[in-house]
């Protein structure tokens, strides 16, 4: 089976990134899966094969990459282009959380790590994707950034993560503007409480703005994969600039 489109997903070894990679593979894409460690990426590929995805070896590429390192990102995109010949979709997903500590107690190294992965990583991958997409034939492609609800409103004690996610919105807008002349469409999906290993704590209760701790509703992560597939189903002359997909009853809209 020949892949209908070529995608690259960062942070594809767990959580939302894994769900997106599985959804794309199930929809017939060839997918380059990137992450710090190869083993979780290979586990994602094995899950796709166990789920009945065909021609899995020909349609997958697992690459160990540190998105905050320019040389590592360059290697990732070179490997993807060498294997598949082009790139139609980049999903910028790799991200880390810092410990939930008061702003004044956040360690500088933790701040730097968050900026390196969450923001610099997305920029470097966007830059590499631009270089491929503007030169390939047919020209163009799509970039979707994982912005998060934190691109709009913070949780308590989350200054590093929230700052980087607000910055992702600026990256999305600038990429969208600069990509127009090359037929590169850039959008952002802001996700709230998708059910992954990272959101298990929400079933036990998480800190709220008023100081209380409450259990928060979650939603299936499959809805996120479906949303990304919809965003990429559009022709390049149409773009979902921003989409919010969230658990309906989570404390976001309103006063908590």
């Amino acid at each position: 089976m020949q892949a209908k489109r070529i995608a690259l997903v960062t942070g594809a070894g767990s959580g939302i990134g894994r769900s997106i990679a599985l959804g794309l593979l199930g929809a017939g894409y060839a997918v380059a899966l990137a992450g710090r460690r190869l083993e979780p990426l290979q586990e994602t590929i094995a899950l796709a094969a166990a789920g009945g995805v065909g021609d899995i070896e020909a349609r997958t590429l697992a690459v160990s990459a540190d998105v905050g390192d320019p040389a590592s990102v360059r290697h990732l995109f070179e490997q993807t282009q060498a294997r598949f010949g082009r790139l139609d979709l980049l999903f910028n997903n790799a991200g880390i959380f810092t410990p939930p500590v008061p702003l004044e107690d956040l360690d500088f190294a933790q701040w730097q790590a968050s900026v390196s992965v969450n923001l610099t990583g997305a920029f470097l991958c966007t830059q590499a994707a631009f270089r491929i997409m503007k030169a390939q034939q047919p020209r163009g492609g799509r970039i979707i950034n994982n912005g998060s609800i934190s691109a709009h409103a913070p949780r308590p004690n989350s200054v590093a993560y929230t700052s980087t996610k607000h910055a992702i919105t600026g990256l999305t807008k600038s990429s969208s503007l600069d990509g127009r002349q090359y037929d590169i469409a850039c959008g952002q999906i802001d996700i709230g409480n998708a059910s992954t290993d990272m959101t298990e704590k929400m079933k036990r209760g998480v800190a709220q703005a008023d100081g209380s701790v409450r259990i928060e509703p979650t939603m299936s992560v499959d809805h996120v994969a479906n949303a990304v597939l919809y965003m990429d189903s559009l022709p390049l002359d149409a773009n979902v600039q921003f989409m919010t997909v969230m658990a309906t009853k989570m404390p976001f809209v309103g006063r908590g």
Side-chain angles (χ1 to χ4, degrees):
M1 182 173 69
Q2 185 175 5
K4 62 180 184 180
R5 288 174 65 75
I6 312 300
L8 190 158
V9 179
T10 65
S14 64
I16 289 170
R18 170 172 284 178
S19 177
I20 299 301
L22 292 173
L24 292 169
L25 286 167
Y29 287 63
V31 181
L33 301 88
R36 286 182 179 271
R37 296 185 299 119
L38 275 177
E39 184 178 358
L41 302 176
Q42 291 165 343
E43 289 173 359
T44 301
I45 294 171
L47 285 170
V53 172
D55 203 20
I56 196 71
E57 291 186 8
R59 292 199 290 122
T60 57
L61 171 68
V63 182
S64 174
D66 175 0
V67 295
D69 175 25
S72 185
V73 170
R74 184 166 54 251
H75 173 74
L76 166 63
F77 281 79
E78 287 174 350
Q79 290 287 101
T80 301
Q81 189 173 28
R83 176 66 176 277
F84 299 121
R86 63 179 289 112
L87 179 63
D88 298 298
L89 171 66
L90 165 65
F91 185 64
N92 273 321
N93 169 73
I96 61 172
F97 295 97
T98 51
V101 299
L103 183 150
E104 66 273 18
D105 295 331
L106 182 68
D107 185 79
F108 180 63
Q110 292 170 331
W111 168 270
Q112 281 189 312
S114 184
V115 172
S116 176
V117 175
N118 300 355
L119 179 57
T120 302
F123 163 71
L124 291 173
C125 288
T126 296
Q127 191 177 54
F130 260 56
R131 290 173 178 143
I132 293 175
M133 290 174 175
K134 66 185 287 188
Q136 65 191 5
Q137 294 297 328
R139 187 177 70 169
R142 192 178 305 275
I143 298 170
I144 302 174
N145 294 323
N146 181 350
S148 168
I149 291 293
S150 290
H152 301 272
R155 289 189 178 277
N157 300 323
S158 66
V159 63
Y161 186 77
T162 300
S163 296
T164 58
K165 289 304 183 177
H166 273 65
I168 285 292
T169 299
L171 176 64
T172 299
K173 291 178 179 179
S174 288
S175 302
S176 184
L177 176 59
D178 293 349
R180 286 178 186 172
Q181 61 182 315
Y182 306 118
D183 300 316
I184 300 173
C186 303
Q188 180 170 314
I189 184 167
D190 297 322
I191 303 160
N193 290 12
S195 184
T196 67
D197 291 343
M198 293 182 181
T199 58
E200 280 298 307
K201 62 183 179 181
M202 292 179 182
K203 298 176 182 178
R204 302 188 298 272
V206 291
Q208 305 295 311
D210 62 2
S212 64
V213 175
R214 300 177 197 167
I215 295 172
E216 292 192 11
T218 60
M219 65 174 181
S220 171
V221 72
D222 292 343
H223 300 316
V224 181
N226 290 336
V228 169
L229 283 167
Y230 165 69
M231 293 171 76
D232 195 47
S233 73
L234 298 175
L236 291 177
D237 61 0
N239 187 37
V240 176
Q241 189 68 69
F242 294 99
M243 176 188 286
T244 301
V245 181
M246 54 179 274
T248 303
K249 297 182 179 180
M250 68 176 288
F252 170 59
V253 175
R255 295 181 178 268

